[in-house]
Amino acid sequence: MIERHGYRSFLFILSLLCFSVVLVTGQGKPDHAVSSFSNLPARLFFFDDTEVAIFHDSREGNVYISHDEGRNWKRADGIPSGKASMVIEHPSNNRYAFVLTEGKTHYRTQDRGKTWYPFDVPMAPALVARPLSFHSQPSKYGYILYQGSSCDRFGMRCHDETYYTKEAFTDTPQVLLSDTSRCQFAHSTTQFVHSAPDDLIFCVAFDTSSNTGSHALSSSRLFSSSDFFASASSTRVEGLGIGKNAKGVIAFAIVSKYAVVALKDLSKRDGEMLLYVSVDATTWAKAQFPHATSAKLRENAYTMLESTSHSLAVDVVLQERSPVGTLFISNSNGTFFVETLKDTNRNSNGYVDFERVYGVEGIGLANIVANANEVENRGARKRLRTMMTYNDGSSWAPIDPPKVDSSGSAIKCSSSDLAECALHFHSVTAPHNFGRVFSSPAPGFVMGVGSIGEYLEEYQESDTFLSTDAGLSWTMVSKGAHKYEFGDLGSILVVVDDEDSTDEIRYSLDLGKTWNSYNIGVKLRARALTTLPDSTSQKFLLLGQVAKKDQKGDVGMVVVVYLDFTKTRGRKCVDSDFHQWYAREGKGACLMGHKQWYRRRKPEANCYVGEKYHDPVVHEDNCECTDADFECDYNYIRNGNECVPAGPEPVPAGPEPIPAGVCSSGDPEQTYKGSSGFRKIPGNTCEGGSKKDEKVDKKCSMAQPEEGDVIHQTFEFPSQIEQHAYFKESKTILVRLKDLSMWQSSNEGYSWNRLFPDKKFLAFYHHKFSVDRAFLITTTGLFYTTTDTGRTWNPATAPSPPNHFGAQVLHFHPTQSDYIIWTGDVDCAGGGENCHAEAQYSRDNGRKWNLIEKYVRNCAFAKDAKLDADPTEIMCESFRDKKGNQNFFPSSSMELVLGANFYDRKTKMFDAVVGFAKFSEFLVVAEMLPEKNSLELQVSLDGNHFAAGKFPPSMHPETHAYTVLESSTNALFLHMTMSERPDPYWGTILKSNSNGTYFGISVENVNRNDAGFVDFEKMIGLDGIALINVVSNPQEAKVSGMKVLQSRITHNDGSTWTPLNPPPLDSQGRPYDCHGTKCQLHIHGYTERTDPRATYSSPSVVGLLMAVGNVGQTLAPYADSDTFLSRDAGFSWQEVHKDAHLWEFGDSGSILIIANDEESTDFVMFSTDEGLNWREYKFSEQKMRVKSIVTVPSDTSRRFILFGEYPKHQGAVAVHIDFSALTSKQCVVNIEDPGKDDFELWSPSEERPEQCLFGRQTLYHRRVRKTDCVVGEKPKAADRIVRNCECTKLDFECEFNYIKNANDECVLVPGTTPLADDDSCKNGEEFWYQRTPYRIIPYSSCVDGYRPDRGTQHRCPGFRSQGGWFWFFMLLLPFGFTAMVAYYYYRRSGLAKGTIRLPGDGRGPAFGGDTGALATLASVPWFVVGVAGIAYEWVASRVTTLVFRSRSGYRNLPIDEDAQILRFEDEE
């Protein structure tokens, strides 16, 4: 390192002249000094609030210290040359820093680098971004956690251990915990304030030991201890509010005032992540995100961003193929998130173009991808636009550009249209300097490199801009891209060219109004420009690289230029030189109940601030309270601008109990002071004004009842109910009445409000794939949409009125929630001669529309949840002729057209179709063959390639109607009608093979009605179980027209059908009149239901069935039937009540409710032991005819709604019945020790002849019948696959081009040829087998046993055919070392699948670090890093280290002081 100082050769008289000039004008030139180094630094930073700087050359392995802000440098004394691998400063004590080596001896300074002393630890540091974690309390500065790693001699088996010291390594470090991934003090930041014990530590660690160094994800837990894990009594596994299911912990971090845990949902296979948040380090709550299918937290696809003290910010990847996200902002306790900005730009490392303006609440900048759809679908180059918020993300807008450029010339584009002319900036994903991108602690000063226009230009085509009012207005300060920095609290602005080499810097002393140049005497390529972290100094450091031709004299390849501006002003500012600068002036100055202002130097004041190390003090003037200062109180739900109760108010009510004696008399008219529904946002400081949180008088009947009581609320609608449905995963329900009014309840029917009273609604649609979205369709082109389960509704304009042709108005996309298709009427007013249906699509939830096709009957996206079609393809049933009135078109002229790229490239798939439908992974098309006057079934698994369905010789759909039933086991069930008018309808159910092309008979004479609906229903939650009704008298029915029905059930997916076993006694304990083998149970089916959602079974109660029927030889009329229940999937039944009843399941079966369905009633019956005992609850003094009983679709609530009508009344009635207070005992599940909790393990295999179905035997958790407890909404225990069974004949189907003959054997279809053998061995098999007529059913998981799918065995070609010695000599020896090191680095560096990047684990620039407050919790997409690339990088760095004694740079750009990487081996 060499130094060269400027201005030391001035003559004495020149110095006197300069001094006199300073005295006269008060302004001189800057000073500078140049220091040379061998390499760019891994880190260059200042000790906080000091003049001491550190330069870490990681390649050289040396640390350099400057005690005068960078003017002079020397190598650190006491640290052996070449040993320094990492430098970590103490975040709460600016005297301490630590230098870590690659070994067990490290170094510490306690005097800011003057002296360094060694200390020893038992292990080398772990390969994580920050092996040290610190306590934030100044008195406990010596409390430090050290994460080390121990490996075997080959480096293949490693594990991490965490040690602790209480005296900053003066004492001997003690073991804290083994097999850790990350440990952190609960008191590790000053922002996270709580009352937890001072020594509380959280550790992400594994609860199992491992000999290999890898662990199953399910063993990763969050542990805590307040005595350094010294005693078992103080060590606990954090249950996160879900108890023993809190497994699969991916990461832990403290972000602002929140502790956040990332957890993988082990009950699902789609990588969905769960976040749990705590504000007190004690209680945890699950973070609730909008439930759009595409908004799920997926592993490796979310980033927790810089957050405030009153909200968390999370960016979630919604696109499947490109790094484009959506920004969500939470409420004050971090548990409920709302979407605030779509299509945010991010890179493959998880960094997001989002930054808040430092020190100014509510202002932030973000970049969005304007062409996100093209990027996702066609891989187009991103076009970025910058958006800015002034209200903490509530709204975003483009940035107004300056009118003139830096030379005063007018900007060419018009700023009146911000869509075409706005200011855009390069941001976090492509940083060009240390620290924050736009702002610093200098209050209100913001700079950026960007461009003016429609989109952001390349960095080299950009210019440099400045705002002195926190982004409200901007000026161009220099053409070209520059690095920039703020000093002396913004009174000094410095920029340096960032496009080419330069030997000068430019600076401004009047807030950017005028600029001066200064020559630094050396031509360099600027790499970084920095100053003290608090921007209070007048001195700067410029880091640069010097070209070889410019390395003259003592100037080396890398230089640090010390810049001193103390001589540029002659006096220190006084009070009259300052003014009060208010943030967000003109943009809603009040935020969180106050205005912010700073004491800032006036632009014209020619003085220096000179308040070194004194951070700018923010002042707050409290505002009057407005509605924006309040949020919903506990137990209340947002509904538009109101907060409605989630149910009866708990006692105590909110944080304060209802006073003694109040609500104790039993008088429902008595009142108490209860919550208004609102509370002031925690941390909000507003005063006076709105008093929305004042308590209000409430009737005691609205308070939560005492334990054991049931309550109800009654609401009368003015008209009859036409349509009702819950949001799928919500407590909000919509109701449309016959008078076309729309009603909503956000609390399961406890209270109701009418939506848009001045509008009439034809229908509403829930988004099929995004459970928090719905659409209200009016009689005009206006519709309303919600993306938050009805909390807010936004108007939108459709391209046309809804169609009257019977076509579904809206169709939805399975992965892109904003993609919708609208089918409406065109030219149909007054019966126009060209009246037709027209389909248009929108990719922004209805804001903009694009034409698909005219004269259509049905248009939909080809892709479905399981149908793997091109996501941009649209399918349309389109009329061949595009002229005339569509009402009179023959159906035979209907074509099926497939359009790729949103119908841009059209392909006619079929000339004539009856229609198409999607079922699970199948796309089924009914093709009309006019020349044969027949139908043909075409099936596709990808929307492009179709195969004709092959049927048994005795039947074909060419002359029959058919109904596609459903698919849930990789097979289609099809009902083919075999009877013809005037006979009543019945038919045969056929089951397909796994690709839907070959159909075999499953059962004959199955009942259907005139509308085509079939008495067929699969049991929810259990594979292979279904119930049907068959016509037992088909020949007689052809004559009499009267069908006699009998019920059948299958437990093996349609292979065999058996009668339902009748119970021996009725509900009154008496034997049935019917006896003998012909005496069976028969139940009423799907064709008789007024509401098809009233299913036999429930998704939350495995094995439980309810039905109305009778015991006899045939099915009796409904009015002569009784109510039955089975809790073992239909193997056995019991009569639970006389007469036909409606039923509903609640709280996962812990409560059942039934209501009479034969006559009006004023009571319901309920059971808490699955029908063993029933109790009556009277809900009305007037009898009502109950039409339906509903609860939340998941059947996990104890609240129900009875919809019905009073006799002789015009309107409808909704009765909300609440059983929540029946018991407060929570059910307990113990999956480690089943049988010692409130659940039991059960399998349908216990009853059926086959122990296995689809190659496996599965056990399910179900509540013990007589246990009275609340299951609640906690995640259910996962099904347990006891074993995969040996293969049997049932596990196989016919291979392609084969079909079953009369002997149940697979034979080749005449005229076809078998598929060629597959010898590719693409999955690394050792052998391949010749094809046979059989193949294994894809849904089966059987192993070994009977394998008719395997012909002659052949050894796989290629490397797998070689022996072990071949591999040893040809692969293992030359590449063994590389493979071992690559594998070790792959696992230990955190780049293996499942890695989560925590705050600071950034793989960004090779130098620099932010000492500020930016905190990110990010998941790194592992798939972007190839194993080969990892191996190359690791070996290259190691070879360089061994041969040339140099060190690689840091593995990250440190952002937070406690950054680490969590690693695990995923179970999958």
Side-chain angles (χ1 to χ4, degrees):
M1 184 197 73
I2 307 140
E3 299 179 357
R4 184 167 62 89
H5 296 278
Y7 299 101
R8 292 189 172 177
S9 61
F10 277 10
L11 297 176
F12 177 69
I13 187 162
L14 183 58
S15 299
L16 289 178
L17 287 173
C18 290
F19 181 67
S20 64
V21 170
V22 171
L23 290 178
V24 174
T25 66
Q27 185 168 339
K29 290 286 186 179
D31 188 11
H32 80 278
V34 179
S35 302
S36 292
F37 297 87
S38 301
N39 303 291
L40 286 170
R43 291 200 67 197
L44 176 60
F45 67 92
F46 287 91
F47 282 84
D48 192 31
D49 288 343
T50 74
E51 296 181 348
V52 181
I54 283 188
F55 182 111
H56 178 209
D57 184 338
S58 66
R59 295 187 66 81
E60 214 178 54
N62 291 327
V63 173
Y64 296 90
I65 311 291
S66 172
H67 291 277
D68 52 8
E69 293 190 67
R71 175 182 283 275
N72 299 286
W73 296 86
K74 68 173 184 175
R75 195 168 69 79
D77 294 330
I79 304 176
S81 178
K83 292 293 186 180
S85 291
M86 185 178 293
V87 183
I88 301 174
E89 69 276 29
H90 199 300
S92 59
N93 188 319
N94 64 5
R95 302 187 63 84
Y96 280 77
F98 303 85
V99 169
L100 302 185
T101 69
E102 292 183 349
K104 300 177 183 179
T105 300
H106 311 297
Y107 300 87
R108 183 196 77 182
T109 180
Q110 59 187 32
D111 53 13
R112 299 176 187 139
K114 292 179 182 178
T115 58
W116 296 83
Y117 296 98
F119 64 91
D120 294 318
V121 292
M123 292 183 176
L127 285 175
V128 297
R130 304 276 278 189
L132 300 182
S133 182
F134 302 87
H135 204 291
S136 62
Q137 293 180 5
S139 62
K140 292 181 178 286
Y141 70 90
Y143 283 45
I144 304 172
L145 305 179
Y146 171 87
Q147 187 172 349
S149 184
S150 176
C151 301
D152 62 18
R153 59 179 179 171
F154 299 109
M156 294 291 289
R157 299 178 180 177
C158 301
H159 74 279
D160 285 2
E161 291 186 9
T162 300
Y163 293 78
Y164 71 92
T165 172
K166 295 184 179 181
E167 299 178 13
F169 296 104
T170 300
D171 57 350
T172 301
Q174 303 295 316
V175 173
L176 181 75
L177 204 60
S178 296
D179 277 325
T180 56
S181 298
R182 174 178 174 82
C183 289
Q184 186 171 353
F185 288 102
H187 294 271
S188 60
T189 70
T190 55
Q191 286 181 300
F192 187 44
V193 180
H194 50 86
S195 58
D198 288 348
D199 296 341
L200 180 63
I201 296 173
F202 289 106
C203 283
V204 178
F206 301 100
D207 60 7
T208 58
S209 59
S210 172
N211 294 324
T212 64
S214 63
H215 293 266
L217 174 58
S218 59
S219 67
S220 180
R221 310 289 288 265
L222 181 67
F223 296 84
S224 66
S225 172
S226 55
D227 66 355
F228 297 91
F229 295 94
S231 62
S233 60
S234 71
T235 300
R236 56 180 264 177
V237 178
E238 292 292 330
L240 307 179
I242 57 175
K244 295 184 178 181
N245 288 324
K247 295 183 175 183
V249 174
I250 300 291
F252 170 83
I254 292 177
V255 183
S256 185
K257 73 166 189 177
Y258 307 93
V260 183
V261 175
L263 185 78
K264 185 172 181 181
D265 187 352
L266 298 179
S267 67
K268 299 180 180 179
R269 296 181 178 270
D270 57 2
E272 184 177 355
M273 304 294 294
L274 306 175
L275 290 186
Y276 287 84
V277 181
S278 176
V279 294
D280 60 7
T282 302
T283 57
W284 298 86
K286 181 182 175 183
Q288 302 289 338
F289 283 82
H291 290 89
T293 298
S294 54
K296 290 180 179 178
L297 277 181
R298 296 194 300 265
E299 186 179 347
N300 305 318
Y302 69 95
T303 302
M304 190 150 284
L305 302 168
E306 180 185 12
S307 300
T308 69
S309 61
H310 55 269
S311 64
L312 277 169
V314 179
D315 189 81
V316 181
V317 177
L318 303 189
Q319 306 284 1
E320 295 182 347
R321 306 175 184 175
S322 56
V324 178
T326 295
L327 178 62
F328 296 88
I329 302 290
S330 78
N331 61 348
S332 64
N333 61 11
T335 57
F336 181 78
F337 285 79
V338 295
E339 181 182 305
T340 180
L341 187 63
K342 283 187 64 66
D343 297 332
T344 50
N345 183 52
R346 52 189 290 140
N347 63 20
S348 58
N349 289 328
Y351 287 102
V352 182
D353 278 346
F354 171 83
E355 185 177 289
R356 299 183 186 273
V357 173
Y358 188 93
V360 182
E361 292 181 339
I363 300 182
L365 298 94
N367 282 348
I368 62 170
V369 182
N371 62 330
N373 295 318
E374 287 74 18
V375 172
E376 168 72 3
N377 298 320
R378 298 201 297 269
R381 177 177 168 272
K382 287 182 178 179
R383 293 182 176 179
L384 303 184
R385 293 174 56 84
T386 299
M387 308 293 284
M388 201 159 185
T389 180
Y390 302 94
N391 51 18
D392 207 17
S394 294
S395 61
W396 296 81
I399 301 175
D400 281 312
K403 299 291 191 296
V404 297
D405 61 19
S406 56
S407 63
S409 302
I411 301 292
K412 292 185 178 179
C413 74
S414 169
S415 62
S416 60
D417 186 359
L418 292 180
E420 297 181 359
C421 181
L423 180 56
H424 312 288
F425 288 112
H426 293 272
S427 187
V428 177
T429 57
H432 288 265
N433 203 2
F434 289 158
R436 305 181 71 85
V437 175
F438 299 110
S439 59
S440 78
F445 290 89
V446 188
M447 292 188 75
V449 173
S451 62
I452 298 173
E454 188 175 1
Y455 307 110
L456 177 64
E457 299 290 344
E458 295 288 341
Y459 189 79
Q460 294 77 11
E461 303 297 324
S462 298
D463 304 308
T464 307
F465 298 84
L466 166 71
S467 172
T468 60
D469 53 12
L472 295 182
S473 62
W474 295 82
T475 58
M476 183 190 293
V477 296
S478 185
K479 291 190 175 181
H482 290 72
K483 297 189 188 298
Y484 45 84
E485 190 54 277
F486 312 86
D488 195 35
L489 291 178
S491 71
I492 306 173
L493 306 177
V494 181
V495 299
V496 60
D497 194 309
D498 196 24
E499 295 184 17
D500 298 304
S501 296
T502 182
D503 58 2
E504 70 174 22
I505 56 99
R506 299 178 67 229
Y507 66 95
S508 173
L509 306 175
D510 55 6
L511 278 62
K513 292 186 176 181
T514 61
W515 291 82
N516 305 300
S517 297
Y518 175 71
N519 192 288
I520 56 176
V522 58
K523 194 168 187 179
L524 54 78
R525 181 69 171 87
R527 295 304 181 193
L529 178 63
T530 188
T531 183
L532 292 185
D534 56 12
S535 296
T536 59
S537 175
Q538 299 182 71
K539 300 167 185 176
F540 299 77
L541 295 182
L542 172 61
L543 174 68
Q545 284 181 288
V546 181
K548 192 170 184 179
K549 63 184 177 64
D550 296 320
Q551 296 176 20
K552 301 173 182 178
D554 297 334
V555 176
M557 181 180 69
V558 175
V559 297
V560 171
V561 181
Y562 163 85
L563 299 169
D564 185 355
F565 290 84
T566 55
K567 296 179 181 179
T568 57
R569 278 83 54 89
R571 69 180 180 88
K572 190 177 187 299
C573 297
V574 297
D575 285 345
S576 60
D577 295 313
F578 293 92
H579 71 116
Q580 291 183 359
W581 175 78
Y582 279 87
R584 299 184 308 276
E585 201 69 57
K587 287 283 187 179
C590 290
L591 187 68
M592 286 296 288
H594 55 258
K595 298 179 181 179
Q596 274 187 310
W597 63 272
Y598 288 90
R599 183 172 174 266
R600 206 167 79 170
R601 199 201 71 170
K602 296 176 181 177
E604 65 276 8
N606 188 11
C607 59
Y608 64 91
V609 177
E611 296 179 358
K612 202 169 184 179
Y613 310 136
H614 291 95
D615 292 345
V617 178
V618 60
H619 302 269
E620 296 178 354
D621 293 344
N622 290 338
C623 305
E624 279 196 349
C625 296
T626 66
D627 289 353
D629 297 309
F630 298 89
E631 66 181 9
C632 289
D633 201 355
Y634 170 75
N635 203 47
Y636 283 80
I637 302 168
R638 174 69 68 175
N639 184 12
N641 295 323
E642 298 298 320
C643 291
V644 298
E649 190 160 25
V651 182
E656 299 177 9
I658 295 177
V662 177
C663 292
S664 60
S665 65
D667 181 6
E669 298 302 317
Q670 189 179 6
T671 61
Y672 70 97
K673 288 289 186 181
S675 172
S676 66
F678 292 90
R679 68 170 181 176
K680 189 184 292 186
I681 298 172
N684 192 293
T685 61
C686 70
E687 299 173 337
S690 176
K691 297 180 180 179
K692 298 189 74 168
D693 58 344
E694 279 193 342
K695 293 192 176 295
V696 298
D697 288 329
K698 292 186 173 182
K699 291 184 178 181
C700 288
S701 59
M702 300 179 67
Q704 185 170 307
E706 295 185 6
E707 187 165 350
D709 289 347
V710 181
I711 60 171
H712 71 273
Q713 295 280 341
T714 302
F715 184 85
E716 295 188 30
F717 294 107
S719 181
Q720 293 179 331
I721 295 174
E722 287 284 303
Q723 184 184 6
H724 66 79
Y726 270 98
F727 286 87
K728 188 175 181 181
E729 296 178 11
S730 168
K731 296 178 180 179
T732 300
I733 184 172
L734 297 175
V735 169
R736 183 176 61 87
L737 302 184
K738 197 170 184 178
D739 63 5
L740 304 185
S741 63
M742 189 71 66
W743 297 77
Q744 175 177 311
S745 171
S746 300
N747 46 22
E748 301 176 83
Y750 183 75
S751 61
W752 296 86
N753 68 292
R754 183 174 178 179
L755 300 176
F756 313 106
D758 59 332
K759 305 297 181 185
K760 293 187 179 297
F761 296 91
L762 291 178
F764 66 81
Y765 287 89
H766 284 297
H767 198 297
K768 181 180 178 183
F769 306 102
S770 178
V771 296
D772 54 359
R773 298 191 179 208
F775 302 80
L776 310 180
I777 311 300
T778 71
T779 55
T780 66
L782 176 71
F783 68 97
Y784 294 87
T785 177
T786 179
T787 59
D788 56 10
T789 60
R791 292 180 182 87
T792 57
W793 292 93
N794 302 301
T797 302
S800 57
N803 74 85
H804 74 283
F805 294 97
Q808 187 171 315
V809 177
L810 283 171
H811 283 274
F812 307 103
H813 197 281
T815 60
Q816 298 297 325
S817 303
D818 279 351
Y819 291 10
I820 55 177
I821 292 175
W822 176 281
T823 305
D825 277 347
V826 175
D827 297 334
C828 292
E833 62 180 30
N834 289 315
C835 172
H836 65 277
E838 184 175 282
Q840 302 213 24
Y841 74 91
S842 170
R843 290 188 285 183
D844 54 12
N845 207 39
R847 289 183 283 276
K848 295 180 181 178
W849 295 94
N850 303 277
L851 177 65
I852 299 174
E853 185 67 279
K854 299 180 178 181
Y855 286 87
V856 299
R857 186 175 66 181
N858 181 28
C859 287
F861 293 105
K863 186 174 178 59
D864 208 80
K866 293 183 180 180
L867 180 63
D868 190 22
D870 182 342
T872 70
E873 286 181 340
I874 295 175
M875 302 189 72
C876 282
E877 298 170 16
S878 173
F879 285 99
R880 184 169 51 250
D881 300 322
K882 306 293 184 183
K883 186 178 181 182
N885 192 316
Q886 183 175 323
N887 286 294
F888 308 110
F889 283 11
S891 59
S892 60
S893 62
M894 186 84 64
E895 301 172 331
L896 183 66
V897 180
L898 180 67
N901 192 25
F902 300 98
Y903 221 69
D904 199 29
R905 301 190 302 272
K906 293 185 283 187
T907 303
K908 184 169 67 172
M909 305 300 293
F910 299 101
D911 291 326
V913 295
V914 175
F916 72 87
K918 293 178 287 183
F919 296 86
S920 190
E921 65 269 43
F922 299 103
L923 172 63
V924 182
V925 176
E927 181 187 15
M928 176 70 73
L929 301 176
E931 66 279 5
K932 298 181 180 179
N933 192 27
S934 65
L935 290 176
E936 184 147 281
L937 198 69
Q938 299 283 346
V939 182
S940 173
L941 298 176
D942 63 3
N944 266 295
H945 304 91
F946 288 83
K950 302 297 182 183
F951 296 89
S954 60
M955 56 184 63
H956 198 277
E958 59 189 20
T959 56
H960 303 285
Y962 62 90
T963 303
V964 181
L965 299 174
E966 61 177 291
S967 166
S968 59
T969 54
N970 289 52
L972 270 174
F973 279 87
L974 179 76
H975 181 276
M976 185 179 296
T977 302
M978 303 304 293
S979 60
E980 299 179 2
R981 279 299 187 196
D983 300 340
Y985 290 126
W986 62 83
T988 298
I989 288 182
L990 301 108
K991 180 186 175 184
S992 78
N993 60 349
S994 61
N995 63 12
T997 55
Y998 297 124
F999 290 83
I1001 295 175
S1002 176
V1003 60
E1004 296 180 317
N1005 300 327
V1006 181
N1007 182 50
R1008 60 152 279 201
N1009 63 13
D1010 292 352
F1013 295 111
V1014 180
D1015 274 346
F1016 172 91
E1017 182 176 323
K1018 281 201 168 186
M1019 187 171 186
I1020 303 171
L1022 286 177
D1023 293 335
I1025 300 176
L1027 297 102
I1028 60 171
N1029 281 336
V1030 298
V1031 178
S1032 62
N1033 63 334
Q1035 298 305 320
E1036 295 177 11
K1038 290 181 179 180
V1039 178
S1040 65
M1042 302 295 294
K1043 293 182 287 187
V1044 175
L1045 304 182
Q1046 295 177 336
S1047 296
R1048 298 287 186 268
I1049 189 169
T1050 179
H1051 289 92
N1052 54 16
D1053 210 38
S1055 293
T1056 57
W1057 296 85
T1058 59
L1060 276 62
N1061 294 321
L1065 302 173
D1066 66 10
S1067 57
Q1068 298 173 352
R1070 296 177 300 194
Y1072 291 97
D1073 294 334
C1074 176
H1075 302 285
T1077 57
K1078 295 183 178 180
C1079 181
Q1080 299 154 359
L1081 174 64
H1082 308 283
I1083 57 177
H1084 293 270
Y1086 191 88
T1087 58
E1088 298 181 68
R1089 290 189 195 139
T1090 56
D1091 186 351
R1093 293 167 294 187
T1095 55
Y1096 295 133
S1097 54
S1098 164
S1100 69
V1101 200
V1102 62
L1104 196 65
L1105 293 162
M1106 287 194 74
V1108 170
N1110 64 283
V1111 174
Q1113 295 188 19
T1114 60
L1115 182 63
Y1118 190 81
D1120 297 332
S1121 299
D1122 303 312
T1123 306
F1124 293 83
L1125 176 145
S1126 171
R1127 64 187 310 267
D1128 57 8
F1131 285 103
S1132 62
W1133 294 81
Q1134 68 181 87
E1135 182 185 300
V1136 294
H1137 212 283
K1138 290 294 183 184
D1139 299 328
H1141 286 76
L1142 300 172
W1143 67 87
E1144 187 56 273
F1145 308 91
D1147 189 36
S1148 301
S1150 76
I1151 185 165
L1152 308 178
I1153 178 175
I1154 60 175
N1156 195 298
D1157 194 28
E1158 296 185 10
E1159 59 185 6
S1160 298
T1161 184
D1162 56 4
F1163 67 91
V1164 295
M1165 304 290 292
F1166 67 93
S1167 172
T1168 57
D1169 54 15
E1170 296 181 4
L1172 286 179
N1173 299 283
W1174 294 88
R1175 285 182 278 174
E1176 181 180 307
Y1177 177 73
K1178 187 174 182 180
F1179 60 82
S1180 175
E1181 295 300 324
Q1182 180 181 1
K1183 289 189 176 184
M1184 63 176 276
R1185 185 67 169 91
V1186 179
K1187 296 291 187 180
S1188 62
I1189 310 174
V1190 298
T1191 186
V1192 295
S1194 59
D1195 291 346
T1196 55
S1197 173
R1198 287 194 155 213
R1199 294 167 178 158
F1200 302 84
I1201 306 173
L1202 307 183
F1203 286 123
E1205 300 169 2
Y1206 289 135
K1208 300 179 181 179
H1209 278 234
Q1210 294 296 319
V1213 183
V1215 180
H1216 165 93
I1217 305 181
D1218 188 351
F1219 296 92
S1220 301
L1222 272 180
T1223 181
S1224 60
K1225 179 189 174 185
Q1226 288 289 322
C1227 297
V1228 176
V1229 59
N1230 187 343
I1231 57 177
E1232 284 85 8
D1233 191 8
K1236 294 185 179 180
D1237 54 13
D1238 295 318
F1239 290 81
E1240 61 185 0
L1241 286 172
W1242 169 82
S1243 171
S1245 300
E1246 297 173 4
E1247 303 290 342
R1248 67 182 172 215
E1250 304 91 356
Q1251 286 293 302
C1252 302
L1253 181 63
F1254 301 113
R1256 53 191 172 269
Q1257 183 181 7
T1258 308
L1259 292 180
Y1260 301 87
H1261 289 264
R1262 68 177 181 184
R1263 190 184 61 99
V1264 175
R1265 189 170 194 178
K1266 294 184 179 181
T1267 299
D1268 188 13
C1269 61
V1270 178
V1271 178
E1273 298 180 2
K1274 290 182 180 180
K1276 303 298 185 296
D1279 305 337
R1280 179 186 297 179
I1281 296 179
V1282 176
R1283 64 187 176 96
N1284 286 322
C1285 308
E1286 286 191 351
C1287 299
T1288 68
K1289 188 175 182 180
L1290 293 176
D1291 294 303
F1292 296 90
E1293 64 184 12
C1294 292
E1295 180 58 273
F1296 188 75
N1297 280 343
Y1298 286 82
I1299 192 169
K1300 287 200 174 181
N1301 62 12
N1303 297 323
D1304 201 32
E1305 298 171 338
C1306 294
V1307 295
L1308 190 66
V1309 176
T1312 65
T1313 57
L1315 293 176
D1317 291 330
D1318 180 8
D1319 61 356
S1320 64
C1321 301
K1322 56 187 176 183
N1323 295 318
E1325 300 92 341
E1326 187 173 355
F1327 300 97
W1328 65 272
Y1329 300 87
Q1330 290 182 351
R1331 290 190 191 272
T1332 74
Y1334 298 88
R1335 65 178 177 187
I1336 197 165
I1337 296 172
Y1339 200 65
S1340 174
S1341 60
C1342 73
V1343 292
D1344 300 327
Y1346 175 69
R1347 295 304 300 260
D1349 60 324
R1350 291 181 174 178
T1352 305
Q1353 175 181 292
H1354 301 271
R1355 186 176 292 276
C1356 285
F1359 290 124
R1360 286 303 300 268
S1361 64
Q1362 305 298 332
W1365 286 109
F1366 171 86
W1367 279 105
F1368 182 78
F1369 287 107
M1370 297 301 296
L1371 182 64
L1372 181 60
L1373 292 183
F1375 295 105
F1377 174 74
T1378 301
M1380 284 190 292
V1381 184
Y1383 175 69
Y1384 174 76
Y1385 181 72
Y1386 178 59
R1387 283 185 38 227
R1388 306 311 289 173
S1389 67
L1391 290 173
K1393 181 180 178 182
T1395 293
I1396 296 298
R1397 176 164 53 73
L1398 291 174
D1401 174 28
R1403 294 172 177 84
F1407 51 81
D1410 191 341
T1411 57
L1414 181 63
T1416 60
L1417 171 62
S1419 56
V1420 182
W1422 67 276
F1423 47 81
V1424 301
V1425 185
V1427 177
I1430 297 168
Y1432 172 79
E1433 292 172 4
W1434 174 267
V1435 175
S1437 66
R1438 294 301 94 185
V1439 171
T1440 304
T1441 299
L1442 294 171
V1443 178
F1444 300 104
R1445 300 301 302 162
S1446 64
R1447 296 289 191 276
S1448 62
Y1450 274 55
R1451 293 180 291 276
N1452 73 314
L1453 170 63
I1455 294 175
D1456 181 84
E1457 63 271 14
D1458 290 320
Q1460 302 183 41
I1461 299 175
L1462 171 64
R1463 307 166 306 283
F1464 59 86
E1465 293 296 323
D1466 198 325
E1467 288 182 297
E1468 298 174 13

